[in-house]
Amino acid sequence: MESSLSIICLEDEPEVLEAILRDLAPFEERFRIEPAASAQEAREIITSLEEANGQLALILCDHVMPGENGIHFLGSLISSESPVLQDTRKILLTGQAGHEDTIEAINEGGIHHYLTKPWDADTLLAAVRKQLTRYIILRNINPLPYMQLLDAQALAEHMHDKNLFSEG
Amino acid sequence: MIKTSSAKADFTVVESLQEIRGLIEADDHLRARVRELMQGEHLLDEANINQCLWLILDGVVRLTKYDAEKEGVMRFDAVGPGELIGILTYFTGESSFFGAEAETNCRVFGLPWSDFAVLPASQPRLHSLIEQCIRDSFSRRYRRLVELHMDKQRLTDSLKRERSELQQTVQALEQAHERLRSQEKLALLGSVLPGIAHELNNPAAALVRTADYLDPVLQETFAELDQRSESLVFWQAGVQAPIADSRAQRQQMQQLEKRLPEVPRAMLRRLTAMPTDLVEQLLSDFSESRLQSAVRAFEAGRLLHTLRTAGRRIARLVESLKRYARSDKATAGKVDLSVNLRDTLLILASRLRNTTVNTEIGNTPTVHGNEDEFNQIWTNLICNAVDAMEGGGELTISTRAVANREGKPGVQVMIADCGPGIPAALRDKIFAPNYTTKGRGGDFGLGLGLHIARTIVEEYGGTIRCEDNPPKGTCFYVWLPKET
């Protein structure tokens, strides 16, 4: 099945999670979007992806949550050898963008992109599109099915560099 | 500091000086060597060669030295009758070490070297008297040197003392300044909070009211939309249904994907938010168009629901903020501690995000006091507990109606953490001002929190104490008397 690429949305507030899912609806076409309300739940999803030989393309993650916070959760994934998590892109979406949190997110959480709440849909979609494009390139996944949804130009350049275009 | 050596002239000096004056007066040659000095007139210039030994007969001569640092002349001593000037240079031939000038009108007797050499033969009595003066002068100078050394030592010591006192004062001042600044900041925050709360209240109210107005408008619109009233049903479900939790949504999604592989996932996602009976109703007679209009109606309902929920949440927060920072600080009255504690918890919600909070806050009698001040107590105790548990852990807060030891009825609030605990030896100290375990510099690390808490509690006739919270942690008990 081509749609074995997943996106996890981790957010503890149901209303906010719902809003994120609503914004990410265009990506449902090619990616399996998995909502999670806690770090624990997100781990369960990763485990089930392992069982299904899935791949996690992106985690969109809140920072301030009861129990384990977002940066800690993302940081804990860095050392993982799980095939599910290879090259997984990480976006932190947070309302408390303190200076120290930001530094920690980059240094300890291995964050690829940082978004602040409240977000606007265009910014969120652009960030997600960019990270997913990067993921497709890094994993050497056939980009053709993703051309319309993601950054077509970047994908085409990648194909050209890799000589993925067939002659003629 | 500068003493006049002549003040110490004792009787023998006066007596021998009298004799010297007589001897000089009686001899023409010697009399010719007496020089009258007008006030301010120079006798010796510093660094010049001195030709004579000078004996002061009357008046006071000041001794001066050039001070390179001050770029001026400093008066370091003054000498009177019987004192000799220029002894050292007179005998060594070196240039003069200091300057001498008349402080008052003076009479001095100058004895050139050539005369001194023949003095033992020509004036044996005068010679021996002058020699006596020289010896006296040297011994006085030596005593004075010792005294000066001692003075200097004393000065150095007191200077050191003053310097360290000054340092302490500066430190205390810095601390006080920091404390004031923080109090000022808190006071400022307190004074602007009601304004901010008011400003926030208006848009929050507008949000809630808009949602309320939108409700019947949409209701009618959906009712008119289709004859079966299906849109209305789905819209109402959207308004009312609680948001399904993420686990249930995922399961629902998996099932729907299997049942409706041809429907886009984004559409199925909307179905996962619906109550399952409605989903079944839709699937029993499935059509693309029916699905779409149902999802649209449900979605409209959900949006309204979220609008209303968010608006109400802001309104609740604003309400708590207003109570938390009420400006009429001076007034005390009936306080319901359960409401008061809940307000504080709501305000501190973001600090408590990672802490499990167990509350047993029941109905307790009202107590006498001021809500703001009580808020301050709970804020201090809860923030301390959260800090002790480094942001995580488990916090237990309970209220209970209990009488104190004297049998007076009241309310006990317990705030217990599972942090590292407070050693028994420190339990009295923690309530003292300026006791802190937190790094200095932070706004809430001034060590005043518990002191303020105790001051407020005692103001209303209550008590505050802390105990161990086995197996680990600290438990604070605040008791306040029942309002009468």
Side-chain angles (χ1 to χ4, degrees), chain B residues 357-408:
Chain B
V357 184
N358 306 315
T359 52
E360 292 161 38
I361 303 175
N363 283 333
T364 45
T366 54
V367 298
H368 176 74
N370 176 290
E371 285 179 334
D372 294 339
E373 292 181 318
F374 289 158
N375 277 330
Q376 233 180 324
I377 302 174
W378 318 135
T379 303
N380 284 328
L381 292 179
I382 293 171
C383 287
N384 278 350
V386 172
D387 288 344
M389 299 187 291
E390 291 172 346
E394 202 170 311
L395 186 71
T396 306
I397 300 174
S398 69
T399 59
R400 186 158 86 86
V402 277
N404 71 353
R405 276 189 203 138
E406 287 114 54
K408 216 170 166 189

Side-chain angles (χ1 to χ4, degrees), chain A residues 22 28 33 41 44 65, chain B residues 246-247 269 299 313 354:
Chain A
R22 207 175 265 133
E28 296 246 26
I33 297 181
E41 208 179 316
E44 286 168 23
M65 292 182 289
Chain B
S246 49
R247 263 176 236 269
R269 172 76 58 205
E299 191 70 353
R313 206 163 131 192
N354 298 322

Side-chain angles (χ1 to χ4, degrees), chain B residues 3-20:
Chain B
K3 293 168 194 159
T4 309
S5 304
S6 64
K8 286 194 289 178
D10 54 27
F11 184 66
T12 50
V13 173
V14 174
E15 207 169 64
S16 42
L17 186 63
Q18 209 50 44
E19 199 182 341
I20 292 172

Side-chain angles (χ1 to χ4, degrees), chain A residues 105-168:
Chain A
I106 292 164
N107 291 346
E108 313 297 331
I111 309 297
H112 300 106
H113 201 101
Y114 199 97
L115 288 169
T116 52
K117 287 178 189 169
W119 70 93
D120 71 89
D122 288 344
T123 314
L124 176 70
L125 290 182
V128 170
R129 186 172 291 123
K130 187 179 160 195
Q131 293 306 324
L132 289 176
T133 304
R134 187 91 192 108
Y135 181 80
I136 298 293
I137 292 171
L138 281 172
R139 299 303 295 158
N140 261 322
I141 293 164
N142 176 17
L144 282 176
Y146 303 97
M147 289 300 239
Q148 271 195 313
L149 192 59
L150 303 181
D151 182 344
Q153 196 187 339
L155 291 174
E157 278 168 20
H158 169 67
M159 282 173 81
H160 182 263
D161 291 347
K162 291 272 174 182
N163 282 323
L164 288 176
F165 285 116
S166 53
E167 299 94 44

Side-chain angles (χ1 to χ4, degrees), chain B residues 78-139:
Chain B
V79 289
E83 277 285 351
L84 289 151
I85 296 169
I87 304 175
L88 274 178
T89 48
Y90 180 70
F91 287 113
T92 59
E94 286 168 2
S95 56
S96 183
F97 185 58
F98 49 77
E101 57 189 70
E103 185 145 301
T104 62
N105 291 345
C106 292
R107 257 169 22 101
V108 291
F109 172 67
L111 193 63
W113 177 244
S114 50
D115 282 21
F116 192 75
V118 297
L119 208 58
S122 61
Q123 290 278 356
R125 180 59 189 156
L126 184 61
H127 179 256
S128 101
L129 283 170
I130 288 178
E131 267 189 341
Q132 181 61 42
C133 282
I134 292 174
R135 274 196 300 276
D136 286 351
S137 177
F138 270 128
S139 86

